[in-house]
Amino acid sequence: MTAAAPARRVVIAGASGFIGTRLAEAFRDDGAEVALIGRNGPDARWGDAAAIGALVDGADLLINMAGKSVNCRYTPENRAEIFRSRLDTTRQLHTAIDAAAHPPALWINSSTATIYRHADDRPMTESTGEIGEGFSVNVATSWEEELFRGTLPGTRRVALRMAIVLGNGSALGPIRALARAGLGGPQFDGRWPATRSRRAAGTFHEYRPRTKNGRQRFSWVHLDDVVGIIRFLDAHPELEGPINAAAPNPTDNRTFMASVRRAVGARVGLPTWRWMLELGSAVIRTETELVLKSRWVVPERLESAGYRFLHPHHEEALAHIVSGSRRT
């Protein structure tokens, strides 16, 4: 009788978050042995080089989703933590792989589609996209530089440039709440004074020329497709480097908010202007960049390689999420 093949070992760092939790469930459902690295473990904690090294050595797949949420005010303390939580964790994994006798064949590290410039003139692809500027872009470029530095000859590396991830939680939660409250209209850019400190920190969100009438582009990806993309990358050894994880049919802010209203059954959606957004974001401790930057990102490399999206259109994706949340 032939012995059963050993289960694949998948190591997920930052698995306590919205995406990491789903990934851990998905790979366990596949029959994999899943080990988790995080601030509180459970299998290894950040800063414990020996424990991290033991998990990484012999792993088949390493996925890093660690990083402080950018849904916060960009104070000096938060900016430092956003950088630290991405660069330090990536650096620790890099060190562990470099020292491993049997390094993982694939390391997928989270990145962000925000790395591209404010774009309402044409889509950004991996081959023709233009890198932007400002604090968020500096975070993204530094993050990817840490991932790709040096040589790791036994490990293929992928920077997963994720658009806004739609699922039952995360960014969609407050958007649905606003829509139910009658505030789910488009968000309009406009004039707002800049302080010297915000300009120096790269956190003043000013886009020239401004996108008018709530037509800033909105790139997104369903959580199911994040899981599907990672499985696809695992099965396609020819893919490495930056990969845009975004649905092939981006929309715009005005259209997306109208679709959210329909999905939750809201009849009215009042629009919000830049001055209202600035005041409101200060109250709820977030940044207007999250809704005013035009993100027009398409998955050139994934589609060329043959990946078929489970949720290519935002209206169907929203309906799927809302109907699923009503059943739970």
Side-chain angles (χ1 to χ4, degrees):
M1 184 175 179
T2 304
R8 299 182 76 227
R9 190 200 304 171
V10 177
V11 177
I12 304 176
S16 62
F18 168 65
I19 300 172
T21 299
R22 176 63 179 279
L23 288 170
E25 293 173 352
F27 280 104
R28 285 188 177 122
D29 288 345
D30 290 346
E33 172 195 339
V34 177
L36 308 179
I37 303 171
R39 286 173 296 177
N40 300 309
D43 301 303
R45 296 186 180 187
W46 294 117
D48 188 340
I52 292 172
L55 290 183
V56 168
D57 197 345
D60 296 284
L61 172 61
L62 171 63
I63 306 167
N64 181 25
M65 292 287 156
K68 174 181 171 57
S69 171
V70 296
N71 186 18
C72 62
R73 289 299 281 180
Y74 292 163
T75 63
E77 296 78 15
N78 282 340
R79 294 199 306 273
E81 181 59 17
I82 287 169
F83 262 109
R84 188 210 62 78
S85 63
R86 286 160 174 76
L87 270 64
D88 282 3
T89 55
T90 302
R91 188 174 297 121
Q92 289 180 56
L93 296 175
H94 197 291
T95 300
I97 294 171
D98 194 35
H102 303 285
L106 173 60
W107 174 14
I108 298 175
N109 210 71
S110 181
S111 184
T112 173
T114 299
I115 197 169
Y116 298 111
R117 67 167 171 83
H118 178 89
D120 57 8
D121 55 333
R122 66 176 180 85
M124 301 287 107
T125 70
E126 297 92 341
S127 62
T128 65
E130 299 175 47
I131 304 302
E133 58 184 17
F135 168 71
S136 297
V137 173
N138 291 341
V139 171
T141 55
S142 300
W143 202 2
E144 292 192 6
E145 286 170 4
E146 182 59 36
L147 168 65
F148 292 121
R149 70 175 172 85
T151 58
L152 296 174
T155 301
R156 176 168 53 105
R157 288 172 279 183
V158 171
L160 200 61
R161 292 178 174 173
M162 286 186 288
I164 293 173
V165 179
L166 300 183
N168 189 20
S170 191
L172 191 57
I175 292 174
R176 288 164 62 184
L178 285 173
R180 291 192 183 101
L183 298 173
Q187 286 107 19
F188 299 135
D189 199 356
R191 294 181 182 276
W192 187 253
T195 63
R196 182 177 299 177
S197 61
R198 288 189 74 186
R199 286 197 183 277
T203 61
F204 180 66
H205 318 302
E206 183 176 41
Y207 308 112
R208 298 283 187 174
R210 296 187 185 93
T211 304
K212 297 180 179 179
N213 302 319
R215 294 299 184 186
Q216 60 268 30
R217 304 295 294 189
F218 183 87
S219 288
W220 59 278
V221 63
H222 193 291
L223 181 58
D224 288 351
D225 276 306
V226 175
V227 176
I229 288 165
I230 288 175
R231 285 175 169 151
F232 186 82
L233 292 169
D234 190 25
H236 285 75
E238 74 278 10
L239 292 174
E240 60 183 345
I243 296 288
N244 289 347
N249 299 293
T251 182
D252 60 37
N253 176 268
R254 178 184 286 273
T255 304
F256 180 75
M257 294 307 297
S259 298
V260 172
R261 295 196 302 274
R262 285 192 293 273
V264 302
R267 294 184 178 182
V268 177
L270 297 177
T272 47
W273 282 264
R274 176 71 181 264
W275 68 270
M276 300 167 67
L277 292 168
E278 290 287 350
L279 296 175
S281 64
V283 171
I284 65 174
R285 312 307 295 164
T286 189
E287 292 285 339
T288 58
E289 176 188 41
L290 301 177
V291 295
L292 292 181
K293 182 172 181 177
S294 186
R295 296 171 175 86
W296 192 353
V297 181
V298 293
E300 177 186 57
R301 296 190 66 197
L302 284 172
E303 289 197 302
S304 294
Y307 180 73
R308 295 177 64 88
F309 280 81
L310 299 169
H311 303 282
H313 300 282
H314 76 277
E315 287 193 328
E316 181 277 328
L318 287 170
H320 178 268
I321 294 164
V322 172
S323 64
S325 66
R326 286 171 179 159
R327 292 194 296 268
T328 57

